Amino acid sequence: MIHSSIDMERLVMENGFMPFFSCGIAGFSIEENTPSELWFSAEEDGPWEWKGPVIREGHCAYGKLFNKKAGYVSLEWLPDLANYRRSLRYAKDEDTAALDDVVLQTIISEGSATVKELRRMLGFARRRGRRRADELVDDMPETGKISLDPILTRLMMGLRIVISDFEYNTDRHGRPYGWGVARYTTPESLYGRLDTKRTPQESRDRMARHLGKMLPYAQESKLMKLIG
């Protein structure tokens, strides 16, 4: 069971892949391996607070990686997961793909960004005064404003970006409070080149063998859904 950030990181490193929430494979998640009193606790830190520290250790990547839900992958398996996922298409059409690329290129050019920073840089945020002619949402009706959440989710599922840390507001005593704000960057910015020397299909097969051996009781369909 997980009782510390060290335990949580060790579990990810041992398994290679670890969804944060229950994923339909019994026992295979951070949630199911955490005592209920630590999962949500007002007195003690738990997995929600340990996400940032585990990321900063630099041994595993974090983001919405499993069926659009959060989870970790160790650096041993990150190149294979990225190799396979980057061969897939997550955008529903060319316009969606183009918009995803605008957000990705902005993150690449800046090095990293939060949602608030992206909204400001891309003109998605409402400012006082008149909008400039070059703002992306300048001619969009109020009800058609673009949401960054599905864009960032697609980019994380495709392993184009990951979460590099969580930033917290602090009170007048310097103590953090509230939900952490995710900062996004590319895997290469954090971990360097992701070179496998394998084809996407070879990476997929390698991950399937690993998960099948580790989780022999799991349905193959659920394992494939996990891989993506």
Side-chain angles (χ1 to χ4, degrees), residues 23-153:
C23 65
I25 300 174
F28 192 59
S29 70
I30 299 292
E31 179 181 13
E32 292 165 283
N33 283 276
T34 302
S36 57
E37 63 270 18
L38 279 180
W39 182 244
F40 272 126
S41 172
E43 291 77 30
E44 298 181 73
D45 285 350
W48 297 89
E49 291 79 21
W50 297 331
K51 291 186 294 184
V54 169
I55 294 170
R56 291 195 294 273
E57 285 297 316
H59 300 134
C60 46
Y62 178 84
K64 290 185 179 180
L65 306 179
F66 304 111
N67 196 28
K68 301 182 181 180
K69 294 183 179 180
Y72 289 94
V73 57
S74 70
L75 294 196
E76 177 186 359
W77 289 97
L78 177 62
D80 278 303
L81 188 62
N83 186 36
Y84 176 62
R85 291 283 185 83
R86 290 178 179 183
S87 71
L88 306 178
R89 181 185 178 90
Y90 291 93
K92 62 181 180 180
D93 52 41
E94 293 301 325
D95 289 341
T96 303
L99 187 56
D100 289 358
D101 191 58
V102 168
V103 174
L104 174 60
Q105 294 307 318
T106 301
I107 293 173
I108 291 173
S109 66
E110 293 296 320
S112 69
T114 64
V115 168
K116 184 176 180 180
E117 291 168 349
L118 284 170
R119 287 190 173 282
R120 185 181 67 249
M121 289 184 285
L122 296 169
F124 288 8
R126 178 177 291 281
R127 296 190 186 92
R128 294 180 179 179
R130 300 181 63 183
R131 290 189 178 278
R132 300 195 314 270
D134 60 346
E135 289 185 345
L136 292 180
V137 295
D138 186 63
D139 59 349
M140 294 181 64
E142 190 71 23
T143 57
K145 294 297 177 62
I146 297 172
S147 171
L148 281 173
D149 185 64
I151 297 173
L152 294 169
T153 297

Side-chain angles (χ1 to χ4, degrees), residues 152-215:
L152 294 169
T153 297
R154 288 192 296 270
L155 291 174
M156 284 186 279
M157 283 295 295
L159 259 299
R160 300 296 178 178
I161 64 172
V162 292
I163 294 174
S164 63
D165 206 348
F166 289 89
E167 301 173 4
Y168 293 84
N169 294 318
T170 56
D171 62 20
R172 61 191 179 92
H173 300 292
R175 295 173 300 210
Y177 68 89
W179 295 104
V181 175
R183 178 166 290 278
Y184 301 92
T185 190
T186 63
E188 285 82 358
S189 293
L190 284 179
Y191 311 113
R193 291 184 59 185
L194 305 179
D195 188 10
T196 67
K197 295 182 173 59
R198 283 183 280 273
T199 67
Q201 184 62 45
E202 288 171 340
S203 287
R204 181 183 184 276
D205 293 344
R206 182 170 183 258
M207 291 186 291
R209 288 193 298 271
H210 169 72
L211 289 171
K213 183 177 180 180
M214 183 172 60
L215 304 165

